[in-house]
Amino acid sequence: MKPKHFITTRQWSRPHIDRLLDLASTLKRAPIQPLLGGKTVALVFFNPSLRTRTSMEIGVWQLGGHAVVLEPGKGAWPIEFADGAVMDGEAEEHVREAARVLSSYCDLIAVRKFPAFKNWAEDRQDLAIRAFERHATVPVINLETIEHPCQELAHALALRERFGNLQNRKYVLTWTYHPRPLNTAVANSSLLIATKLGMDVTLLCPDERYLLDERYLDAARQQAQEHGGSFSIEHDIDRAYAGAEIVYAKSWGALPHYGDPDAERAIRDQYKHFIVDERKMALTNNAAFSHCLPMRRNIKATDAVVDSPNALVIQEAANRLPTQKAVMATLLNTHPKQPAGTLEAAHA
Ligand code: CP
C-alpha cells in the first residue's frame, strides 16, 4: 500500500516511485486533466521559493483544483510547533490547531519549512513537517525541509528522460562552494533517489566535515544494496569525476559547525576549487550536469558547464510541475490505476 503522505521517499517503495514517474511522464505530455476537480490545496511557505511555489500553484490549477498560498509570519499567523510550549513569543497559534483547521478546508497540505540552522540534533528531527503529519487529517507533502522529495522526482524524471535505464549509471553528487552554509536537504535527497534507482553513487566532498548526516549515509548504503547499485565516499576530485555519467552539484554546510557559520567560513573558503568546470567535466564519460536551482553561476558551476548541451538544470526544474501533479493525484487516489510501466508504455 502506498504511504498516506509524501514527506520522504524513504517511505516510498521503488515500484511506487516508478509509478509516480510514469504518471508524471503522462502528465507532462497531457498537462490539463481534471484529476483535482473540486479539490483544494494549502501551500504553506515558511521560506522563499521560485520553482516550488510556481509549479505547485500552476500544477493544482492544471488539474482543476484550487491552491491557497499561506506565508506564516507574513500574511498568516506565525506558528508554534513545540508541544507544551508557553506561547509568549512571536507565534500566535499552534500547529495543533493550524493543521486541523487547514485539514477542514483543504484536501492536501504542502509545507516548506527549512531548518533553523542552529542545532542539527534538533533540526534533524524535522519537527515542523512531522507535526503537520501528526495533526493534519489530510495528506501532507514536503516542499523542502531537511529533505526535498519533490526535487528528487523532478531530478529522477530528467535523468530517465536523458538515459532511459538508470541502473548502475555512474552518479556523482559533488559538494560545491557557496559563500554561506546551505541546507543539506537536496544533498540528502540526491543520495536517497540515486541509490533507490540503483545507480553507482559517489558522494564527493572536501573532507569528513562535509559528510552528510549518518542517517542518509546509512540509507544510501542500504538502498544501494537493495537495488543493485553501490555507494562510496570520495574526497579526491579527479578520482570522483573519472568516468562519471551524471554530475549533480550542491553546496551544504559542514554539520560539525552547524549553527556557527563564522567558524565554518575559514574551512569552506579553502574549497572554492570544487566548482564544476570544463576541466573536471572533461574527465567524465560525457556526463550530464544538473543542479536543483537556484544556483550562483561561476561559483558553483561555470557558465560553460551550465550552458552546455549536457546541462539538465532547466529540464529538471520544468519537471517539478508534472512530478508534483503526479504526487497530488496519487495521494488523493485520483490517478488512473495502472501498474508500474503501463502508463509509460501506453503513451510510447
Ligand atoms: N529547487 C527549488 O526548490 O527551488 P525553489 O527554492 O525556487 O522553490
Side-chain angles (χ1 to χ4, degrees):
M1 211 168 81
K2 71 170 169 55
K4 177 176 178 186
H5 306 283
F6 191 69
I7 290 176
T8 170
T9 59
R10 285 178 291 151
Q11 294 170 333
W12 286 67
S13 68
R14 172 69 193 270
H16 280 122
I17 293 290
D18 286 341
R19 274 187 206 116
L20 287 172
L21 294 173
D22 289 345
L23 179 56
S25 294
T26 301
L27 293 172
K28 192 167 175 176
R29 283 186 289 265
I32 311 290
Q33 301 210 25
L35 299 179
L36 293 188
K39 307 282 188 195
T40 51
V41 183
L43 304 177
V44 188
F45 279 90
F46 291 84
N47 308 97
S49 164
L50 185 147
R51 281 142 289 272
T52 307
R53 178 171 170 169
T54 314
S55 56
M56 285 298 289
E57 279 202 62
I58 293 172
V60 173
W61 178 84
Q62 288 184 340
L63 294 183
H66 181 75
V68 176
V69 176
L70 296 163
E71 297 177 291
K74 210 165 152 196
W77 302 115
I79 297 175
E80 173 64 55
F81 291 95
D83 284 334
V86 176
M87 291 174 55
D88 57 358
E90 286 294 305
E92 290 291 345
E93 69 177 318
H94 201 280
V95 67
R96 284 172 176 263
E97 285 76 53
R100 284 152 68 202
V101 170
L102 289 177
S103 298
S104 76
Y105 304 145
C106 300
D107 299 282
L108 288 168
I109 300 175
V111 179
R112 164 167 285 197
K113 176 96 173 62
F114 293 168
F117 296 108
K118 288 184 182 147
N119 177 346
W120 179 243
E122 189 169 304
D123 282 345
R124 78 188 293 278
Q125 297 174 59
D126 225 357
L127 292 173
I129 195 124
R130 292 300 176 185
F132 269 104
E133 177 188 30
R134 214 164 41 251
H135 300 298
T137 56
V138 299
V140 173
I141 299 173
N142 182 348
L143 298 180
E144 191 176 351
T145 58
I146 59 167
E147 296 176 30
H148 199 348
C150 292
Q151 191 74 45
E152 290 179 47
L153 293 184
H155 182 47
L157 185 59
L159 295 180
R160 210 171 76 161
E161 288 166 341
R162 173 63 62 106
F163 292 100
N165 185 7
L166 296 173
Q167 189 67 40
N168 296 115
R169 294 277 175 198
K170 188 168 163 29
Y171 180 104
V172 177
L173 166 65
T174 176
W175 181 91
T176 57
Y177 175 76
H178 185 281
R180 60 189 175 83
L182 299 180
N183 197 358
T184 55
V186 171
N188 296 333
S189 275
S190 155
L191 295 190
L192 292 178
I193 196 66
T195 52
K196 182 155 285 192
L197 296 177
M199 292 191 261
D200 290 328
V201 179
T202 300
L203 165 61
L204 169 63
C205 60
D207 63 44
E208 295 210 335
R209 290 168 291 196
Y210 288 92
L211 287 177
L212 296 166
D213 187 283
E214 200 58 44
R215 174 196 295 157
Y216 297 103
L217 301 181
D218 282 346
R221 290 184 195 105
Q222 188 191 327
Q223 291 194 154
Q225 200 167 22
E226 276 171 28
H227 299 291
S230 63
F231 175 64
S232 60
I233 293 168
E234 183 58 80
H235 301 306
D236 183 281
I237 292 174
D238 287 9
R239 264 208 305 265
Y241 274 77
E245 295 172 280
I246 298 145
V247 174
Y248 199 44
K250 185 70 185 78
S251 190
W252 61 88
L255 293 180
H257 296 285
Y258 197 80
D260 189 0
D262 292 336
E264 197 214 12
R265 186 165 300 117
I267 304 166
R268 68 171 39 241
D269 282 355
Q270 300 167 43
Y271 295 126
K272 292 183 178 174
H273 60 284
F274 272 71
I275 186 170
V276 183
D277 58 19
E278 303 89 300
R279 187 197 74 78
K280 297 184 189 74
M281 291 301 284
L283 301 172
T284 69
N285 181 11
N286 194 30
F289 166 78
S290 203
H291 185 283
C292 62
L293 303 179
M295 182 190 62
R296 294 186 186 221
R297 280 173 173 254
N298 303 309
I299 295 287
K300 290 182 174 175
T302 60
D303 283 339
V305 170
V306 183
D307 295 329
S308 87
N310 287 14
L312 296 178
V313 289
I314 304 301
Q315 190 176 333
E316 179 169 328
N319 284 347
R320 296 292 301 278
L321 188 52
T323 48
Q324 288 157 188
K325 286 158 71 179
V327 169
M328 291 189 281
T330 299
L331 290 176
L332 293 178
N333 292 311
T334 60
H335 59 295
K337 293 191 173 44
Q338 281 103 327
T342 57
L343 283 171
E344 186 68 1
H347 291 81

